[in-house]
Amino acid sequence: MGSCCGGDRSALAGALVDRLPAGTVAGAVDPERPKRPASPTAPHRDAARPDDRRPSADRADLLVLGPVATGVPGAAPAEAMAVRDGRVLATGTMADLADLRAPDTEVLDAGDGAVIPGLIEPHMHLWSTGVFYGWLDCSAEANPTFDAVVDRIRAAVATAAPGSWVCGQLFDPSRYPGEPTLDAAILDQISTEVPIVVTNASMHFAYVSSTVFDRVGITADTPDPPSGRFYRRRQADRRRRRAQRDDGHPRPPAAEVRRRAGGRCGRS
């Protein structure tokens, strides 16, 4: 186990657990975990002693040993977190939280893990994030222009092992002028042999080359699946025609329209 926050985490846990009444740590801290000698930077054992002068209503009913991510940019993880009635009272060093601990405070050691309190993300696309992990970065942050995206895909195709696919992620057309799309007409210019798949930054759909459709047996006559649809080339052609003004000049991209109207939104 490595060090954390200037001291050995096992020493921190041992310093606190040794002060608990018998039976308090059942199910919270492994009593068989070997204790290491305290490091010179670890807090003194007295830092974990309960402060009986503090009213019990102000004490923590749970003390979590970190590392605890606080979400403060640039800040190191906290050593511990004090909780009462499901709400975070404080985070900090063991010494900082010593007076929040009561004799009956439960102690939970995160061990080799980490604690990230107070974050609720109902739309994180956890499954797809895991599936796409390690795929080619086609984001605007990594590719300042649309041509840079195409060049990156082309370079990946050039070095792809025989029989492999090139899979990319995070492509967002709204980040480029004209909102270009990676439809099959463009991807087929990169390769007609190596299958290419690039997911949109929304993770809701993907752009694929014609080779992908050939490999999986999808044709222009294949009906849409029950839970989705194939965005067909003729639909893309209609979309491009709609994107032209009457004078033949392209419309400004949606992102530009939003930027221009941003100062007036919500005003009467």
Side-chain angles (χ1 to χ4, degrees):
M1 181 180 297
S3 61
C4 174
C5 305
D8 183 56
R9 188 158 65 245
S10 294
L12 296 178
L16 185 60
V17 171
D18 286 349
R19 295 291 179 177
L20 294 173
T24 304
V25 299
V29 178
D30 184 358
E32 299 300 323
R33 177 181 294 176
K35 299 181 179 65
R36 299 178 182 177
S39 67
T41 56
H44 190 270
R45 281 177 176 271
D46 288 342
R49 187 188 301 277
D51 185 352
D52 294 331
R53 295 170 298 178
R54 191 181 185 95
S56 58
D58 298 333
R59 309 277 186 82
D61 52 33
L62 174 65
L63 190 62
V64 181
L65 308 183
V68 179
T70 62
V72 178
E79 294 176 358
M81 174 178 67
V83 180
R84 180 172 183 81
D85 296 330
R87 299 181 66 86
V88 176
L89 295 178
T91 60
T93 65
M94 298 280 286
D96 293 337
L97 306 187
D99 63 345
L100 293 176
R101 182 185 163 270
D104 59 349
T105 297
E106 179 186 4
V107 177
L108 181 65
D109 185 359
D112 292 329
V115 179
I116 307 178
L119 298 181
I120 300 174
E121 172 51 272
H123 197 178
M124 65 186 301
H125 292 242
L126 180 60
W127 177 86
S128 52
T129 298
V131 170
F132 303 152
Y133 181 77
W135 285 18
L136 191 68
D137 188 350
C138 296
S139 67
E141 287 73 19
N143 306 276
T145 65
F146 177 68
D147 286 345
V149 176
V150 176
D151 289 343
R152 177 168 290 211
I153 298 172
R154 182 177 287 108
V157 168
T159 59
S164 64
W165 292 35
V166 168
C167 299
Q169 61 171 324
L170 301 175
F171 176 70
D172 185 353
S174 70
R175 302 289 298 276
Y176 301 110
E179 300 193 16
T181 184
L182 279 173
D183 58 17
I186 293 177
L187 297 177
D188 289 351
Q189 294 180 38
I190 299 175
S191 177
T192 57
E193 297 180 359
V194 177
I196 303 172
V197 178
V198 179
T199 59
N200 183 268
S202 68
M203 299 187 181
H204 290 171
F205 60 94
Y207 312 90
V208 301
S209 63
S210 298
T211 308
V212 172
F213 289 126
D214 293 341
R215 293 287 183 90
V216 299
I218 295 175
T219 69
D221 298 323
T222 301
D224 289 338
S227 58
R229 67 170 180 161
F230 301 119
Y231 192 73
R232 304 167 196 276
R233 185 168 295 173
R234 57 180 177 269
Q235 293 171 316
D237 292 339
R238 285 199 299 270
R239 181 179 179 183
R240 277 194 287 270
R241 286 196 295 270
R242 286 197 302 268
Q244 300 292 319
R245 288 176 171 166
D246 292 340
D247 58 7
H249 290 88
R251 279 179 175 169
E256 177 64 12
V257 174
R258 289 193 297 269
R259 185 189 69 77
R260 295 177 186 176
R264 298 186 294 274
C265 290
R267 295 182 181 180
S268 58

